[in-house]
Amino acid sequence: MGAASSSALARLGLPGQPRSTWLGVAALGLAAVALGTVAWRRVRPRRRRQLQQVGTVSKVWIYPIKSCKGVSVCETECTDMGLRCGKVRDRFWMVVKEDGHMVTARQEPRLVLVSITLENNYLTLEAPGMDPMVLPIKLPSSNKIHDCRLFGLDIKGRDCGDEVAQWFTNYLKTQPYRLVQFDTSMKGRTTKKLYPSESYLQNYEVAYPDCSPIHMISEASLVDLNTRLKKKVTMENFRPNIVVSGCEAFEEDTWDELLIGDVEMKKVLSCPRCILTTVDPDTGIIDRKEPLETLKSYRLCDPSVKSLYQTSPLFGMYFSVERIGSLRVGDPVYRMVD
């Protein structure tokens, strides 16, 4: 087990401080404040947790540009807004119409053929029939900030310039497009706006992901689905951040709180699937039927939560980040239980 995991395990088992210790600290703290030299605050001890290994991380993906190809990485930081590799963050770039409305592979399926290479301070974009496009990660502060719309919610985005805008426009050949970048100084989309009727959900913010900072699927769930399909699909149809091996099909549905590396995560919701899953990641052709129709035959939600998921089949899980840190391929996936 790595140093990060060991420290995380120790952290989860920390005992509370004896009462006498707290009284002593309090007395010293009050004296120090009276002298005007130092302030103190009492830290609430964390709960003891038991850890049950439920799998192993087999793949990690970052998708810098929403709906474009993912970048497979061996190790990543996990921030409260999702994965980060160096200066590149997951779904911090997005193609938009000139009026700021989002554009994804639901509307432009060939976006899934745009591949991305991470090189120092640049992203290199490649697509069929196009010359490579080199995009600086850090943008001039003078670049225009657009008011964008993502699934009916307002969010900002800094314009990435005319050159890359023309590149996407020439590639997609349907209408003028712009590329925008989210900045951490901007306000993300919050849980309350994403799920206004689900007041019990934990608070978090996201940039341009659909619903949450982390999307996770098990290898076994994909294997189960493919036993029911005439034409097999790949994990790229579903675009998860983290793939887990060594568990049963759909076991991820039952994971409430997880520890991976030194990152703690908490379940948000199941992932409701849409026609984006029917875009072939190798051809950019949208089928609009499979694997969605097959998923609907056996992965609909319980009637008690139909108001939330409607008729969308469920495949994969959304998680929020409760403790930031780093994780890597090969890390054990622990379920945390009281």
Side-chain angles (χ1 to χ4, degrees), residues 168-312:
F168 274 104
T169 299
N170 292 345
Y171 171 59
L172 296 171
K173 296 182 175 67
T174 52
Q175 62 178 291
Y177 290 119
R178 308 297 299 184
L179 184 70
V180 297
Q181 181 187 24
F182 185 82
D183 187 279
T184 51
S185 64
M186 299 172 180
K187 179 68 173 176
R189 291 145 57 237
T190 63
T191 315
K192 289 183 178 180
K193 290 185 177 179
L194 290 165
Y195 304 105
S197 63
E198 311 301 316
S199 58
Y200 60 90
L201 292 177
Q202 57 270 35
N203 293 322
Y204 61 80
E205 289 186 18
V206 290
Y208 304 142
D210 282 6
C211 297
S212 78
I214 302 293
H215 176 205
M216 188 181 304
I217 301 177
S218 73
E219 290 181 353
S221 297
L222 179 64
V223 170
D224 181 275
L225 172 60
N226 274 329
T227 63
R228 306 163 191 264
L229 294 171
K230 291 182 180 179
K231 182 182 178 183
K232 310 300 183 190
V233 295
T234 66
M235 200 62 84
E236 283 86 344
N237 285 75
F238 302 100
R239 307 173 65 79
N241 295 115
I242 299 173
V243 179
V244 179
S245 63
C247 62
E248 298 296 322
F250 305 110
E251 190 178 336
E252 63 268 32
D253 294 354
T254 67
W255 299 340
D256 293 323
E257 295 180 86
L258 296 177
L259 173 69
I260 308 175
D262 54 3
V263 180
E264 294 180 22
M265 304 179 189
K266 188 173 182 179
K267 179 172 74 175
V268 179
L269 295 167
S270 298
C271 180
R273 309 315 309 209
C274 68
I275 60 168
L276 186 58
T277 62
T278 73
V279 177
D280 188 319
D282 296 320
T283 66
I285 296 173
I286 189 166
D287 175 80
R288 296 187 179 275
K289 292 183 179 179
E290 293 294 0
L292 199 57
E293 292 302 317
T294 296
L295 282 171
K296 286 181 179 180
S297 72
Y298 78 114
R299 287 292 297 171
L300 293 178
C301 69
D302 186 273
S304 63
V305 287
K306 190 171 183 179
S307 61
L308 178 60
Y309 297 112
Q310 304 294 325
T311 60
S312 298

Side-chain angles (χ1 to χ4, degrees), residues 116-131:
I116 301 167
T117 305
L118 314 182
E119 298 178 276
N120 299 321
N121 297 316
Y122 298 88
L123 302 181
T124 300
L125 315 183
E126 297 182 83
M130 300 293 293
D131 291 333

Side-chain angles (χ1 to χ4, degrees), residues 15-221:
Q17 293 288 343
R19 179 175 175 83
S20 59
T21 301
W22 284 121
L23 292 173
V25 171
L28 289 172
L30 288 171
V33 170
L35 292 172
T37 58
V38 66
W40 70 278
R41 67 184 180 91
R42 186 164 72 182
V43 179
R44 185 175 63 184
R46 294 171 60 80
R47 293 179 295 167
R48 287 181 178 271
R49 313 299 296 277
Q50 291 184 343
L51 302 178
Q52 300 174 349
Q53 185 172 352
V54 292
T56 302
V57 176
S58 61
K59 198 83 172 176
V60 177
W61 268 303
I62 291 179
Y63 304 85
I65 304 177
K66 189 173 182 66
S67 276
C68 294
K69 279 186 181 293
V71 179
S72 177
V73 297
C74 293
E75 186 172 7
T76 180
E77 295 175 73
C78 196
T79 74
D80 54 2
M81 294 188 79
L83 301 187
R84 178 175 64 193
C85 187
K87 297 179 181 179
V88 178
R89 290 174 176 259
D90 184 65
R91 296 173 174 95
F92 259 49
W93 285 262
M94 177 173 65
V95 178
V96 297
K97 299 178 183 179
E98 289 195 316
D99 64 2
H101 279 78
M102 73 170 187
V103 178
T104 72
R106 300 166 182 86
Q107 299 85 32
E108 293 284 4
R110 294 174 67 243
L111 277 174
V112 303
L113 303 182
V114 177
S115 63
I116 301 167
T117 305
L118 314 182
E119 298 178 276
N120 299 321
N121 297 316
Y122 298 88
L123 302 181
T124 300
L125 315 183
E126 297 182 83
M130 300 293 293
D131 291 333
M133 176 71 211
V134 178
L135 178 69
I137 293 172
K138 184 173 178 57
L139 298 174
S141 59
S142 58
N143 281 23
K144 179 181 178 180
I145 295 179
H146 293 276
D147 293 317
C148 304
R149 291 286 283 179
L150 181 55
F151 295 116
L153 296 178
D154 294 327
I155 192 166
K156 304 288 187 181
R158 189 180 301 277
D159 193 276
C160 294
D162 291 339
E163 190 177 359
V164 70
Q166 193 61 54
W167 190 89
F168 274 104
T169 299
N170 292 345
Y171 171 59
L172 296 171
K173 296 182 175 67
T174 52
Q175 62 178 291
Y177 290 119
R178 308 297 299 184
L179 184 70
V180 297
Q181 181 187 24
F182 185 82
D183 187 279
T184 51
S185 64
M186 299 172 180
K187 179 68 173 176
R189 291 145 57 237
T190 63
T191 315
K192 289 183 178 180
K193 290 185 177 179
L194 290 165
Y195 304 105
S197 63
E198 311 301 316
S199 58
Y200 60 90
L201 292 177
Q202 57 270 35
N203 293 322
Y204 61 80
E205 289 186 18
V206 290
Y208 304 142
D210 282 6
C211 297
S212 78
I214 302 293
H215 176 205
M216 188 181 304
I217 301 177
S218 73
E219 290 181 353
S221 297

